[in-house]
Amino acid sequence: MTREVTVRAPGKLNLQLSVGPRRDDGYHPLATVFQAVDLYETVTATPRADDRFTLEMTMLPTVKAAPGAVPLDETNLAMRAARAVAARYGITDGVDLRVVKGVPVAGGMAGGSADAAATLLACAEAWNVGATRDELDELAAGLGSDVPFALHGHTAVGLGRGDELSPAMTHGEFHWVFATQGHGLSTPAVYAEFDRQVEAGERTAKDPHLSNAIMSALMAGDAHALGASLQNDLQGPALALAPHLKRTLDLAHEAEALGAMVSGSGPTVAALGRSRQHALAIAAHLSAVGESDAVFTVSGPAPGAVVLN
């Protein structure tokens, strides 16, 4: 039995992103703390009677992307996710995928990974393959380091390549402001700049460890302590490639954000407010200056991939 299924999966930010030296296999060991936020990608999977795979994409008004910024061919993570489910369970039918993007493109918020997570669950349900969550986790890990977290959501610790997940104890809700740019930063380019800085002696790269300060702040639900302990080893490389982002960080501090940082590999800047109202005030300050293409508020933690119909 097959059916049309719609699944929603969240974007994220990294409260901590500690990056170790590049390994021989090209990957960097990570210690990261993910938090899912209530900004979502939505994927609808409709099985076909033939073996074709198609992808259609719609962007919400908050998502500004250059033409062609998101591929619609087999390189798209959603297409790869659908193919992975079909290969794993011996499905010979095709599928039509409709993606509604609500997470900024190439903004360091894992919108593509959320697409992949939502597609895994949507295709598994649409084709009625009886997949377990462990099986979906295994497929997710094969697609990218952020995909397993998008399946689970909430707040989690990620080790290894970021895909070795364990839940993080969190109390309360945190209110964020995201300032996005129309032109994204390439994650491989930011990591390459990180490696260049290490090789040039401009920074050191040590084996990463989780921040006790961040974990304690989350457990206590203490936004002030969390803001003071935000950490991102890729912020320096991102600023080297996009120095204008420093102005946005400065504006967030002017608005008395509890903490501000480049999210993931950038170029989105995330600022933490004391409350929902304070987050709105920070967003108004950033919008008035006009340094960013879009400014909006979100809250976290948010749930992971969930079937909507």
Side-chain angles (χ1 to χ4, degrees):
M1 188 177 78
T2 61
R3 53 187 173 151
E4 179 177 282
V5 176
T6 298
V7 173
R8 185 181 73 182
K12 60 83 182 171
L13 77 160
N14 298 77
L15 309 178
Q16 175 188 357
L17 182 52
S18 295
V19 182
R22 184 177 56 190
R23 304 183 313 208
D24 291 340
D25 62 4
Y27 289 101
H28 298 74
L30 304 177
T32 188
V33 181
F34 297 106
Q35 184 161 95
V37 295
D38 55 358
L39 198 65
Y40 299 102
E41 302 282 287
T42 304
V43 176
T44 299
T46 307
R48 297 175 60 97
D50 57 23
D51 61 357
R52 289 188 61 210
F53 283 59
T54 71
L55 175 62
E56 173 188 321
M57 190 162 294
T58 303
M59 309 245 182
L60 294 181
T62 52
V63 179
K64 300 179 186 297
V70 180
L72 299 178
D73 57 16
E74 293 287 338
T75 64
N76 186 285
L77 267 180
M79 288 285 273
R80 290 174 54 199
R83 294 283 188 188
V85 174
R88 173 67 178 264
Y89 296 99
I91 301 297
T92 56
D93 294 340
V95 68
D96 293 323
L97 300 175
R98 299 196 306 276
V99 177
V100 178
K101 292 196 70 64
V103 178
V105 175
M109 297 168 60
S113 296
D115 287 342
T119 301
L120 287 174
L121 183 54
C123 286
E125 291 291 321
W127 283 323
N128 197 29
V129 298
T132 66
R133 185 50 68 110
D134 284 346
E135 290 169 348
L136 292 180
D137 282 342
E138 182 181 336
L139 291 175
L143 293 168
S145 300
D146 291 336
V147 183
F149 175 70
L151 273 177
H152 291 271
H154 301 285
T155 306
V157 167
L159 299 175
R161 289 166 48 188
D163 57 341
E164 298 172 15
L165 293 178
S166 56
M169 181 71 72
T170 306
H171 286 95
E173 191 174 42
F174 298 92
H175 303 285
W176 300 91
V177 179
F178 285 154
T180 66
Q181 307 291 323
H183 296 282
L185 276 175
S186 158
T187 298
V190 175
Y191 271 101
E193 174 61 16
F194 175 89
D195 293 335
R196 187 202 65 76
Q197 292 181 4
V198 171
E199 291 166 7
E202 298 171 14
R203 68 162 54 241
T204 58
K206 300 177 290 187
D207 288 338
H209 299 282
L210 288 173
S211 164
N212 290 330
I214 288 177
M215 301 307 294
S216 297
L218 289 170
M219 191 172 296
D222 187 335
H224 287 80
L226 180 61
S229 53
L230 298 174
Q231 179 182 335
N232 181 7
D233 285 351
L234 294 184
Q235 177 165 298
L239 291 176
L241 298 176
H244 62 282
L245 296 178
K246 185 177 185 305
R247 172 66 173 151
T248 305
L249 291 167
D250 290 341
L251 289 169
H253 289 299
E254 282 181 14
E256 300 182 348
L258 300 181
M261 64 177 178
V262 173
S263 177
S265 57
T268 299
V269 169
L272 179 60
R274 294 187 300 271
S275 62
R276 192 182 303 275
Q277 291 72 23
H278 184 214
L280 290 169
I282 297 169
H285 183 66
L286 294 179
S287 297
V289 177
E291 290 286 327
S292 304
D293 289 301
V295 180
F296 45 91
T297 60
V298 298
S299 298
V306 60
V307 176
L308 297 182
N309 69 326

